[in-house]
Amino acid sequence: MESVRDNNTERIRQQCAEKGLLLHDVQLRQLEEYADLLESKNKTLNLVSRKEKAPLLIRHIFHSLLIGLYHRFKPGEKVLDIGTGGGLPGIPLAIAFPETSFLLIDATGKKINACREMIQRIGLKNVHAKKERAEELKGVAFHTVLSRQVAPLRNLCRYAEKLLLPGGSLICLKGGYLEKEIEEALDRAQKNNGFPADVSLLPIDHFDACFENKYIVIANS
Ligand SMILES: C[S@@+](CC[C@H](N)C(=O)[O-])C[C@H]1O[C@@H](n2cnc3c(N)ncnc32)[C@H](O)[C@@H]1O
C-alpha cells in the first residue's frame, strides 16, 4: 500500500520534473531522510513550527526546493544561506544541486550543530554549516545569497550587498504583503547607490494551497 509520504515524495518529483528539475531516487531518499531528521530534532530544538497542518515534506522541504525551479544553480556556484535554522532552504537545495557549494549560517549555535549532524548523517559533501551572524561574516563572497523567513528585505539586502560577487542575486522566501518591504529596500539602495537594482516577486500558490500569500523574492544587482 502506498503511504502518504510516498505520495508527497512523488508529487515533489513530478512537480520538479515538470519545471525541468530532475530528482533521482537517491536524492528523493535523501530529502525523506532529511525530513525524518528534521522532525526528530524538532522535538527538542525549535527548528520549524509544530502547529502547521501540511506535511513537513511539502510545507518546508518542497517550499525550499521551489527556489531551484526559478534559479537553476550551476556547478561550482557558491551559495550562502543566511539564518538557515534547521537547514532551510540550504539543505534541500544542496541535495537537489550536488555540484553547487552551499554555506549555511545562523546566529544560534545549537541550530548549526543540528545542521552539521544532519548533513553528516545524510552524507552531503557540498554543504557546510557555520555559527555566524550575516553582518559579521567576512573574507568570503558568493554568487547567490538565500534566506527564508529571517529578516526584512531591507536588512537582507544590506547583508547581501557586502557578500555578493558582482552580478549576484539575493533570493528569499517570504510571506505576506511585501510591497512596503520592497519599496524600503529599493529606497535604501537608491540613496546609497547600493544593492539591489531591481526586485521581482513570484507567487507560488499554484504549487500548493499551503503556499498562499507566499512568494519567492529575487533581488538583482
Ligand atoms: C524564523 S527562523 C528561520 C529559519 C529557517 N530559515 C527556516 O526557514 O526554517 C530565523 C533564523 O534566522 C537566524 N538569524 C536571524 N538574524 C540573523 C543574522 N543576522 N545572521 C544569522 N542568522 C540570523 C535566527 O537565529 C533563526 O534561526
Side-chain angles (χ1 to χ4, degrees):
M1 202 174 72
E2 265 189 322
S3 71
V4 173
R5 186 162 88 164
D6 287 343
N7 289 341
N8 286 327
T9 308
E10 177 52 24
R11 255 192 67 197
I12 292 175
R13 190 198 62 72
Q14 213 173 324
Q15 285 189 280
C16 288
E18 276 166 20
K19 291 275 178 191
L21 176 63
L22 300 181
L23 295 172
H24 301 291
D25 284 351
V26 172
Q27 290 165 304
L28 293 168
R29 295 293 87 80
Q30 287 176 325
L31 292 172
E32 287 178 342
E33 190 178 359
Y34 172 56
D36 289 344
L37 290 167
L38 191 56
E39 200 150 22
S40 150
K41 295 236 165 269
N42 209 36
K43 288 179 186 147
T44 49
L45 289 171
N46 194 18
L47 297 174
V48 290
S49 164
R50 289 170 213 157
K51 287 183 218 144
E52 290 144 5
K53 273 194 241 147
L56 190 145
L57 206 50
I58 299 296
R59 182 76 177 78
H60 297 288
I61 296 180
F62 186 40
H63 187 221
S64 298
L65 285 173
L66 292 179
I67 291 178
L69 304 188
Y70 292 94
H71 176 91
R72 219 36 70 83
F73 295 91
K74 297 189 184 80
E77 184 171 340
K78 287 186 198 157
V79 182
L80 173 70
D81 177 8
I82 294 178
T84 193
L88 297 161
I91 292 181
L93 289 168
I95 290 172
F97 296 91
E99 291 178 56
T100 299
S101 148
F102 290 81
L103 177 65
L104 318 179
I105 62 164
D106 199 284
T108 307
K110 276 186 197 166
K111 296 186 181 181
I112 287 301
N113 288 342
C115 285
R116 285 187 178 141
E117 209 184 305
M118 293 188 281
I119 290 165
Q120 201 189 13
R121 290 276 292 274
I122 305 167
L124 301 173
K125 302 288 180 228
N126 60 325
V127 53
H128 296 92
K130 188 174 187 220
K131 177 188 176 296
E132 187 73 276
R133 294 197 66 86
E135 50 276 53
E136 285 161 16
L137 189 62
K138 294 201 172 69
V140 276
F142 302 87
H143 298 99
T144 308
V145 171
L146 309 175
S147 191
R148 178 177 185 257
Q149 296 163 358
V150 173
L153 189 63
R154 180 192 159 100
N155 296 5
L156 294 172
C157 287
R158 184 160 49 83
Y159 306 149
E161 194 170 72
K162 294 187 186 143
L163 294 165
L164 279 173
L165 287 161
S169 301
L170 165 71
I171 309 178
C172 314
L173 289 165
K174 280 185 159 290
Y177 296 98
L178 298 169
E179 282 74 10
K180 190 156 182 278
E181 263 195 52
I182 293 174
E183 206 179 288
E184 283 174 0
L186 286 170
D187 202 40
R188 180 202 153 269
Q190 216 167 32
K191 282 185 187 137
N192 301 301
N193 201 15
F195 177 86
D198 66 73
V199 176
S200 44
L201 200 58
L202 311 174
I204 51 173
D205 53 357
H206 52 289
F207 289 103
D208 192 283
C210 76
F211 304 140
E212 195 186 349
N213 279 326
K214 293 190 183 295
Y215 300 88
I216 296 178
V217 183
I218 305 183
N220 292 308
S221 301

